Amino acid sequence: MTDAEDKHGPHGVIDRVLAVLAAFEGTTGSLTVAGIAQRAGLPVSTTYRIVASLEGWGALRKGSDGRYQIGFRLWSLGQQAGRRLRDRAHPFLQDLFDLTHENVHLAIRDGLYSLYIDKVYNSRKLPIVSRIGGRLPLHATAVGRVLLAAQPDWFVDAYLARELESPTPSTVTDPGELAEIIHTVRREGLSVTYEQMRLGAISLAAPIVYEEETVASVALVFDISQAGEIERLRPAVKGTADKISRAMRGGSAGAVMRRIAPQAASFSGGEKTRLHAVDPR
């Protein structure tokens, strides 16, 4: 097969279909065919044919305004991803929410990001940045730092060598400081972040372990005015993670993350200074 034939062969078609579907990543609404084509980097005519086929299969659906959204068949298929983990974890997430009345998240690592696969929250609580199916930077979230800490040193070094996103003015992006934070997370088996992803928010996360590997992380997200509650909430978050780990028939979270006896939550220097300004205790 020549290069020209390969370019237009099955792999080329698959790549174009995936590019059309990927155009919907990070969107909160619907897209026109022209908008899909622009985001996918494809000709409008090619995009139109692919969109029509995807609509017929149920991967996309067309609204009354002529714009397209992800279809229910693709959504249903996507729900199969991580289903075992979600099914095992959700009752414990609900228990943690009922106990604390704070937003609860469940995330896994997807490349360089935390992928949120479940959550329990109250609309009257702190506005939340994450959404189910959404991705956030590993270094800027408590769940992300837990997942990053579980990776080998070469991965952490490569991650910190990147140009790191800074969602808020408080986000730690200094590689040396982050390396120290990751070391602390590995040692304590717990991550606490202060205004890293959203101003006014604190997150507290612990690892979920299956077959001696950290496969996910569970977190609470609450308002900075409740900073004094961190020590009270630590056992609840760690206990929930351990219960899910046992439900997954894995080892203990403490063994994998080399957790030591509970102690004061650790913050970076900048985070600690800002926290003390709010809660001088």
Side-chain angles (χ1 to χ4, degrees):
M1 180 179 291
T2 66
D3 291 341
E5 289 172 331
D6 183 64
K7 181 178 179 181
H8 296 91
H11 295 292
V13 172
I14 292 173
D15 288 342
R16 293 176 184 185
V17 171
L18 293 176
V20 167
L21 293 175
F24 289 87
E25 288 186 322
T27 63
T28 56
S30 52
L31 297 172
T32 63
V33 172
I36 297 171
Q38 182 179 20
R39 292 173 67 95
L42 296 172
V44 173
S45 58
T46 300
T47 304
Y48 182 84
R49 291 194 297 271
I50 294 173
V51 166
S53 295
L54 290 173
E55 182 188 10
W57 185 79
L60 298 177
R61 62 188 179 92
K62 186 177 183 180
S64 58
D65 58 358
R67 301 168 69 92
Y68 289 87
Q69 296 181 348
I70 292 296
F72 292 119
R73 186 173 182 182
L74 189 61
W75 174 84
S76 178
L77 184 63
Q79 295 302 300
Q80 301 303 313
R83 181 175 179 179
R84 180 170 181 264
L85 173 60
R86 292 200 317 273
D87 288 349
R88 298 289 180 89
H90 190 81
F92 299 107
L93 303 183
Q94 185 66 57
D95 287 346
L96 182 59
F97 176 81
D98 292 341
L99 177 66
T100 64
H101 302 291
E102 303 294 347
N103 297 326
V104 181
H105 295 164
L106 178 68
I108 61 174
R109 184 177 70 85
D110 183 18
L112 305 178
Y113 297 91
S114 304
L115 173 61
Y116 290 80
I117 63 174
D118 201 1
K119 66 195 311 181
V120 182
Y121 64 99
N122 188 324
S123 61
R124 293 174 295 179
K125 284 292 182 180
L126 182 76
I128 46 182
V129 176
S130 65
R131 58 180 176 80
I132 296 178
R135 294 173 174 82
L136 295 177
L138 289 173
H139 67 282
T141 61
V143 290
R145 290 180 180 180
V146 166
L147 297 169
L148 186 57
Q151 304 310 307
D153 289 340
W154 67 263
F155 183 95
V156 176
D157 292 342
Y159 182 93
L160 298 182
R162 302 166 50 245
E163 181 177 352
L164 300 176
E165 302 92 328
S166 184
T168 79
S170 299
T171 306
V172 178
T173 57
D174 177 73
E177 189 172 358
L178 281 170
E180 183 179 345
I181 290 171
I182 294 305
H183 177 73
T184 300
V185 174
R186 284 175 171 173
R187 178 167 54 87
E188 297 184 359
L190 192 79
S191 175
V192 184
T193 59
Y194 172 76
E195 294 192 317
Q196 296 296 284
M197 197 67 226
R198 183 186 182 92
L199 291 176
I202 296 177
S203 187
L204 180 62
I208 295 169
V209 176
Y210 177 66
E211 293 185 347
E212 300 304 315
E213 292 186 9
T214 296
V215 297
S217 180
V218 61
L220 280 179
V221 180
F222 48 99
D223 191 87
I224 186 59
S225 64
Q226 299 169 267
E229 297 293 301
I230 289 177
E231 286 305 306
R232 181 181 68 84
L233 295 172
R234 283 169 62 99
V237 175
K238 294 168 77 172
T240 298
D242 287 341
K243 288 176 183 177
I244 297 172
S245 296
R246 288 195 294 271
M248 294 292 294
R249 300 179 185 277
S252 69
V256 174
M257 301 296 287
R258 303 189 296 278
R259 185 172 63 217
I260 63 173
Q263 53 186 271
S266 297
F267 293 87
S268 67
E271 290 174 314
K272 185 183 295 183
T273 299
R274 292 177 62 90
L275 179 58
H276 286 170
V278 176
D279 184 4
R281 292 174 294 176

